[in-house]
Every structure is written in structure tokens, then in C-alpha cells.
Amino acid sequence: TRARVGLSLPVNRLRLGARWSLEQWFPSENQQPFRIYPEIALWGSLHSDWSFALSCVNPFEVRWLTTKVRSERTMQFEMQHRIWSENTLHLGWKNNGLENRWSAGAHWRLNNQFELTTGCGTGSQWMAVGWLVRWKSWAFHGVLEMGRLKGWTYGIACSWRSS
């Protein structure tokens, strides 16, 4: 289970964002492992068709509150290229201190209410398809993923953005 709350601010042609995450995993040995950690991000446009995002998740390597084991810092970088109208291609890199992982994907905005995303990546070798449905200021997200280690998994989320 994961809950996040954050804020982003404009800085020239860029945006700087920060959020706090609360994460809880399945209980083990009569403990409920959870942690609270920050995420910091910078994103913007390099050109009218190119954009980027750089983020650092858990920059201070906080400890799990019940086990006191340090959790790793994760660095992420993504480039995005708009190929036409509302359709984009993505290339991403992620490092958690142990290994580099690469990903590639495509995103299609079919209309103002519906979007579709596909992707694949290295590491645990995965591929996924996701969708987004907009309703007023709300967005409902879903993903179906096939990975070498976990098999089929799914995720759902909702988000709200002020007009």
C-alpha cells in the first residue's frame, strides 16, 4: 500500500516538485513494515517536441520504521519525444544502487477522456499496458503488467488536478 502527497512549482521553463510517500508492505514476523520518505523531481521541456524528467526517490535512504533496515535510494531519468499531436515515445533509465534498468514505451491520447500507454523494460523483464480515464478534475488509472518474476499483476489509482 502506498499513499503520496506532493506539490510542484514552476521555475522558469521547468517545474520542481516534492512529495512525501508512506509505504507499507505485507506483515512479517508480527510486524507491519512501513516507511515514510521524500521524493524530489525536476522536469521540463528542452524543445517543443522533447521533454525530460529527473527524480530521486528516498534521497536520504530512510530506514523501515519497524525493522530499522535502510532502504535504497533510487535515481530515475526519462526522455520523451512527441511524434505527432498527443502521441509520445518514452525512454527511461532507473538505478537503485544495485543495477541499471532501461525502459521504453509509447503513449496515445485517444480523446480528451481516454489515454492508452504501453511499455517494456529490463531488470525483471516486464511489459505492460495501461489506461487513463478522465472525468471532470479526476483521472482514473489502471495497468496490467506481465513480468518474469511476478507473472501477471495489476494496479489501479485515482488522481485529482485543480482546473
Side-chain angles (χ1 to χ4, degrees):
T1 305
R2 184 180 300 157
R4 295 176 172 156
V5 61
L7 176 68
S8 68
L9 302 170
V11 179
N12 291 331
R13 291 180 35 197
L14 306 173
R15 288 194 74 81
L16 178 63
R19 67 181 173 190
W20 285 97
S21 295
L22 168 67
E23 192 171 47
Q24 178 182 356
W25 291 86
F26 294 106
S28 61
E29 299 177 10
N30 298 325
Q31 295 182 357
Q32 291 283 343
F34 69 96
R35 63 183 177 165
I36 301 171
Y37 57 91
E39 300 178 26
I40 302 167
L42 177 69
W43 62 96
S45 296
L46 300 172
H47 186 268
S48 62
D49 294 339
W50 289 90
S51 59
F52 75 96
L54 175 65
S55 70
C56 184
V57 178
N58 191 18
F60 309 113
E61 296 183 348
V62 301
R63 297 178 188 273
W64 289 94
L65 296 177
T66 53
T67 63
K68 304 300 183 201
V69 174
R70 280 200 183 275
S71 53
E72 70 276 349
R73 171 186 315 118
T74 302
M75 297 293 296
Q76 299 177 155
F77 180 75
E78 181 179 334
M79 291 293 297
Q80 173 180 302
H81 177 62
R82 184 174 358 152
I83 49 177
W84 68 85
S85 183
E86 298 291 327
N87 304 310
T88 56
L89 295 175
H90 302 261
L91 179 64
W93 167 82
K94 183 177 185 178
N95 180 286
N96 64 359
L98 302 174
E99 65 179 328
N100 291 311
R101 296 180 180 182
W102 294 91
S103 62
H107 180 87
W108 298 272
R109 176 176 275 181
L110 303 175
N111 55 43
N112 287 340
Q113 286 83 33
F114 192 72
E115 298 177 25
L116 184 65
T117 303
T118 62
C120 61
T122 65
S124 62
Q125 298 165 349
W126 58 270
M127 60 184 151
V129 61
W131 57 93
L132 178 135
V133 177
R134 294 185 192 281
W135 179 68
K136 297 182 180 179
S137 295
W138 290 92
F140 302 93
H141 314 263
V143 65
L144 183 61
E145 181 178 325
M146 173 58 173
R148 184 175 54 95
L149 298 176
K150 295 185 208 173
W152 289 99
T153 58
Y154 66 92
I156 57 172
C158 68
S159 60
W160 178 81
R161 180 174 290 193
S162 63
S163 300

